[in-house]
Amino acid sequence: MGSPGDVLTLISAGSATTRSDLARLTGLARSTVSQRVDALIDCGLVEETTGGESTGGRPPRQLRLRTEDHTIAAVDLGATHCRVALTDLGGTTVATAEDQLQIAEGPQAVLTHVKKRVDELLGERTLTAIGIGVPGPVEFAAGRPNNPPIMPGWNDYPVPAFFPDVPVLVDNDVNLMALGEHRHAFPGTRHLLFVKVGTGIGCGIVAEGRLHRGAQGSAGDIGHIRVSGHEEAGCRCGNSACLEAVAGGAALARALGVESGAEVVALVQQGDVQALRAVREAGRLIGEVLAGLVNFFNPEVVVVGGLLSRVHDHLLAGIRETVYRRSLPLATQHLTIVPSRAGVDAAAWGAGILAREHYLSPDNINRLVSACEDV
Amino acid sequence: MGSPGDVLTLISAGSATTRSDLARLTGLARSTVSQRVDALIDCGLVEETTGGESTGGRPPRQLRLRTEDHTIAAVDLGATHCRVALTDLGGTTVATAEDQLQIAEGPQAVLTHVKKRVDELLGERTLTAIGIGVPGPVEFAAGRPNNPPIMPGWNDYPVPAFFPDVPVLVDNDVNLMALGEHRHAFPGTRHLLFVKVGTGIGCGIVAEGRLHRGAQGSAGDIGHIRVSGHEEAGCRCGNSACLEAVAGGAALARALGVESGAEVVALVQQGDVQALRAVREAGRLIGEVLAGLVNFFNPEVVVVGGLLSRVHDHLLAGIRETVYRRSLPLATQHLTIVPSRAGVDAAAWGAGILAREHYLSPDNINRLVSACEDV
């Protein structure tokens, strides 16, 4: 209470713009407010400028976060791509890059590439924190991928150690998509599910405005929930009738005799009736699983993203049909089911938000201030 | 920050026992600490006594919450019972009562009974807050039951208005069981599911230590999630193959040709092989739904309670078998699936905790203090 981090929260939210505001809002003694503000200024987090409306005497000095002096790197690693975006502490994008990159090349090769790209984009700017999304489960507190099926060589690899000078936040890409979608498109909602329908199927969960990662960080792994009437469909996980094994992009491609989910999307866009029916039926199966999750979790919004959502008319029709048929009326009366608004940027957005919110959290600011005072 | 409510939190948690502790922990000016403490004393929330270890001079005065001057009423309303427990602000039970009572008699009759019972138990004590659990969904913020299927006459009834003098917190009984079980038996865990297997089947969700109620307060309604291979089983909700329609106490009773879940329990306890098999199979079906929810939510603990958990050996065996077969290894590697420890007291415990935590929340304390200062 009343720590430098709490004071910074009030300044960065715009709730306090002067030392008087801070004294009033916190109940801290004026001398304590001055100590806190001076420490934040000394650390380069806050600046104080003259200006503001005069009330007769000297105009009060204004406090503001030095957003542009701090740069966040947001990194979205997919199976075959690497997107990097730099933003300032206010979330404004200052540079971006996108490359083809195989995550299966392993952490050394991939992170060396990421580091090089971030350094190039940075130029003279100072790096403040990095957020990284990866296509697999992550032990969030340690930043270590946890038996990720499509990331050979990454299991238990300590990603943050690769960037020793700044805080590094690593999370599953679907979690970051949920976070990005929530903060950008649905900031007023409390409970949101983001369903990614790509080669596989996953879900990110926002509960009370915060990511729900679960005990092992594996929350949202809905691709292996059983659907009824498909016992014949074996899944790569060793079970059968998993959602992903019948409704994921890879399963649809197999059923339609093409190579990839992207080709399924192309067929639907060409008006191929068989592909269209397959996507609609995949929507129904995803809807069957979501119907149960809507009863259980009672979200306000379900956002559908990922490759297959490019043909969302057909996918969402199937999902909505089943959710509205199988979920309880109380849980669906105000439920919104919509396609992703962030599209391909969702994971990078989320990675940047994760890193910014961590950097500006009171605990981190207090650590920075006390490290700064010790020098 | 540094409000009277924040100060009370430090005192009631035992983090601060003197004014000096408070000044150190909050960074507040001594004069502000004194203002806050005096206000809390004036409101009768805190007392200051001499004692404590002397450090040479005058022994510092000790601050403590006046737990015994405030009484919480915890009310557990079931389909056919009413339990009332009074506790002090520290959670110590001071009186209890239990009656047969039909919730279907409607809110006037039931709440009149509750009020009478609470008044009798109170005697000379002062009532501070009431927590009430009901067997149906509740719009929590308003304290109104929301289309509860087994509570005729209660839909949208404003329960708090019946007790105009104190804060009244109303919640679904399964939510309260989850809260009671979490705070008493698993306080160190972050994510817990409580599954009640009674006549119907429901679930309470604790996420990051807090109840997750969802957008409409209907989260945890898992009784109508579809299970595979039971399309023939019609459900009272209008759909078929709902979990409750094949694995709830009422469904088991019907299948075994007896009247109630209690008789099913009795048959199992007598060693009836058919009943035993039915309960084991019900466990497997509940396990099928839970397997999906464990993948989705990744809890640390699943607690199984309700009437059928009295024969938990057989029920849990079926649940565990299916969860460990169908959930992802990452989500089950540290998962614990256990019978309820609170038993029949779980809902009343939860109701008391809900009311106490509300009463002691900084926002409520700040309201009380400012009301007190206005007099």
Side-chain angles (χ1 to χ4, degrees):
Chain A
M1 292 184 283
S3 71
D6 296 326
V7 166
L8 187 78
T9 298
L10 292 170
I11 296 171
S12 68
S15 315
T17 59
T18 64
R19 292 179 187 229
S20 311
D21 288 348
L22 287 169
R24 184 170 44 78
L25 289 169
T26 59
L28 293 175
R30 289 296 295 233
S31 58
T32 311
V33 168
S34 283
Q35 252 175 34
R36 301 279 187 267
V37 169
D38 292 345
L40 292 168
I41 291 173
D42 289 347
C43 293
L45 288 159
V46 163
E47 67 180 350
E48 197 165 31
T49 56
T50 51
E53 283 178 31
S54 168
T55 53
R58 195 158 51 114
R61 289 172 299 168
Q62 302 284 303
L63 299 168
R64 62 179 288 277
L65 185 65
R66 299 177 70 144
T67 48
E68 63 289 349
D69 293 351
H70 298 79
T71 307
I72 300 283
V75 181
D76 163 24
L77 296 174
T80 60
H81 73 255
C82 167
R83 288 193 193 88
V84 178
L86 300 189
T87 77
D88 70 15
L89 262 191
T92 303
T93 301
V94 293
T96 60
E98 183 170 347
D99 303 289
Q100 295 289 313
L101 185 66
Q102 303 296 319
I103 195 118
E105 286 181 22
Q108 279 291 335
V110 169
L111 295 176
T112 300
H113 172 91
V114 167
K115 196 169 188 152
K116 185 165 153 279
R117 192 56 89 225
V118 168
D119 285 342
E120 282 168 13
L121 293 176
L122 269 174
E124 298 301 302
R125 297 184 193 89
T126 305
L127 187 64
T128 294
I130 308 182
I132 302 179
V134 298
V138 174
E139 189 194 338
F140 177 71
R144 293 169 184 258
N146 195 337
N147 287 306
I150 64 162
M151 297 170 64
W154 288 80
N155 182 36
D156 216 29
Y157 186 88
V159 177
F162 205 88
F163 306 89
D165 302 327
V166 289
V168 181
L169 291 296
V170 187
D171 207 342
N172 171 263
D173 58 356
V174 188
N175 284 351
L176 296 180
M177 290 174 188
L179 188 67
E181 200 77 37
H182 181 264
R183 296 295 192 271
H184 278 265
F186 301 96
T189 62
R190 292 185 302 146
H191 310 301
L192 172 148
L193 298 184
F194 181 94
V195 183
K196 180 189 176 192
V197 188
T199 304
I201 296 176
C203 178
I205 307 167
V206 173
E208 293 291 354
R210 288 178 296 272
L211 273 180
H212 173 79
R213 297 186 177 89
Q216 270 69 44
S218 75
D221 206 337
I222 66 171
H224 303 279
I225 294 182
R226 183 182 188 174
V227 292
S228 54
H230 283 275
E231 287 309 317
E232 81 295 348
C235 182
R236 63 185 169 89
C237 76
N239 272 311
S240 60
C242 293
L243 176 61
E244 190 168 297
V246 290
L252 293 184
R254 232 176 3 255
L256 293 167
V258 294
E259 291 295 313
S260 69
E263 287 177 68
V264 175
V265 169
L267 283 175
V268 173
Q269 286 168 335
Q270 289 156 26
D272 180 289
V273 174
Q274 212 195 339
L276 197 151
R277 279 195 191 135
V279 169
R280 171 75 73 115
E281 179 59 18
R284 289 193 191 103
L285 291 164
I286 296 166
E288 180 184 326
V289 166
L290 281 177
L293 299 179
V294 163
N295 281 354
F296 172 77
F297 187 71
N298 189 200
E300 287 153 281
V301 186
V302 174
V303 181
V304 180
L307 180 65
L308 266 291
S309 75
R310 292 192 196 160
V311 288
H312 59 70
D313 286 357
H314 306 289
L315 191 70
L316 259 75
I319 291 175
R320 287 179 175 139
E321 171 191 330
T322 318
V323 168
Y324 288 111
R325 180 160 53 80
R326 285 288 330 182
S327 293
L328 293 164
L330 181 55
T332 58
Q333 65 184 3
H334 300 298
L335 179 69
T336 308
I337 304 177
V338 291
S340 167
R341 301 204 188 155
V344 295
D345 293 322
W349 282 3
I353 291 161
L354 186 70
R356 281 202 304 283
E357 293 185 354
H358 164 81
Y359 190 76
L360 292 172
S361 67
D363 282 354
N364 188 55
I365 295 298
N366 292 339
R367 265 193 300 273
L368 290 175
V369 166
S370 81
C372 198
E373 284 171 341
D374 285 349
V375 174
Chain B
M1 289 182 286
S3 70
D6 295 327
V7 166
L8 188 77
T9 298
L10 292 171
I11 296 171
S12 69
S15 316
T17 58
T18 64
R19 292 180 187 228
S20 311
D21 289 348
L22 288 169
R24 184 170 43 79
L25 290 169
T26 60
L28 292 175
R30 290 295 297 231
S31 58
T32 312
V33 168
S34 283
Q35 253 173 34
R36 301 280 187 268
V37 170
D38 292 345
L40 292 167
I41 291 173
D42 289 348
C43 293
L45 287 160
V46 162
E47 67 179 351
E48 197 167 31
T49 55
T50 52
E53 284 178 30
S54 169
T55 53
R58 196 159 48 114
R61 287 173 300 167
Q62 302 284 305
L63 298 168
R64 61 179 288 279
L65 186 66
R66 298 178 68 146
T67 50
E68 63 290 348
D69 293 350
H70 298 80
T71 307
I72 300 284
V75 181
D76 164 25
L77 294 174
T80 60
H81 73 255
C82 167
R83 288 192 191 91
V84 178
L86 301 189
T87 76
D88 68 16
L89 262 191
T92 303
T93 302
V94 294
T96 61
E98 183 170 348
D99 303 289
Q100 294 290 312
L101 184 66
Q102 302 295 321
I103 194 115
E105 285 181 22
Q108 279 292 334
V110 169
L111 295 176
T112 300
H113 172 91
V114 167
K115 196 173 187 144
K116 185 165 153 278
R117 193 56 88 225
V118 168
D119 285 342
E120 283 168 12
L121 292 176
L122 269 175
E124 299 300 304
R125 297 184 193 91
T126 306
L127 188 63
T128 295
I130 309 184
I132 303 180
V134 299
V138 174
E139 190 194 338
F140 177 71
R144 293 169 185 259
N146 194 337
N147 287 304
I150 65 163
M151 298 171 63
W154 288 79
N155 183 35
D156 217 28
Y157 186 88
V159 176
F162 205 89
F163 306 88
D165 303 326
V166 289
V168 182
L169 291 296
V170 187
D171 207 341
N172 170 263
D173 57 356
V174 188
N175 284 351
L176 296 181
M177 290 175 189
L179 188 66
E181 200 78 36
H182 181 264
R183 296 295 193 272
H184 278 265
F186 301 97
T189 63
R190 294 183 302 145
H191 311 302
L192 173 148
L193 299 183
F194 181 94
V195 183
K196 181 189 174 190
V197 188
T199 305
I201 296 175
C203 178
I205 305 167
V206 173
E208 292 292 354
R210 289 178 296 272
L211 272 179
H212 173 79
R213 298 185 176 88
Q216 271 69 45
S218 75
D221 207 338
I222 65 170
H224 303 279
I225 294 182
R226 184 182 188 176
V227 292
S228 54
H230 284 274
E231 288 310 315
E232 82 294 348
C235 182
R236 62 186 170 89
C237 76
N239 272 313
S240 60
C242 293
L243 176 62
E244 188 169 300
V246 289
L252 294 185
R254 232 176 5 256
L256 293 166
V258 295
E259 291 295 314
S260 69
E263 288 176 68
V264 175
V265 169
L267 283 176
V268 174
Q269 287 168 335
Q270 289 155 27
D272 180 289
V273 174
Q274 214 194 338
L276 196 151
R277 279 194 190 135
V279 168
R280 171 75 74 115
E281 180 59 18
R284 289 192 192 104
L285 292 164
I286 295 166
E288 180 183 328
V289 167
L290 281 177
L293 300 178
V294 163
N295 281 355
F296 173 76
F297 187 71
N298 188 201
E300 287 153 280
V301 186
V302 174
V303 181
V304 181
L307 179 65
L308 265 289
S309 75
R310 291 191 199 163
V311 286
H312 59 71
D313 286 356
H314 307 290
L315 191 69
L316 260 75
I319 291 175
R320 288 179 175 140
E321 170 191 331
T322 318
V323 168
Y324 287 111
R325 180 160 54 81
R326 285 289 329 183
S327 294
L328 293 164
L330 182 55
T332 58
Q333 64 184 3
H334 299 299
L335 179 69
T336 308
I337 304 177
V338 290
S340 166
R341 302 203 187 156
V344 295
D345 293 322
W349 281 3
I353 291 161
L354 186 70
R356 280 203 306 281
E357 292 186 355
H358 165 81
Y359 189 77
L360 291 172
S361 67
D363 283 354
N364 188 57
I365 295 297
N366 292 340
R367 267 193 299 274
L368 290 176
V369 166
S370 86
C372 196
E373 283 170 343
D374 285 349
V375 174

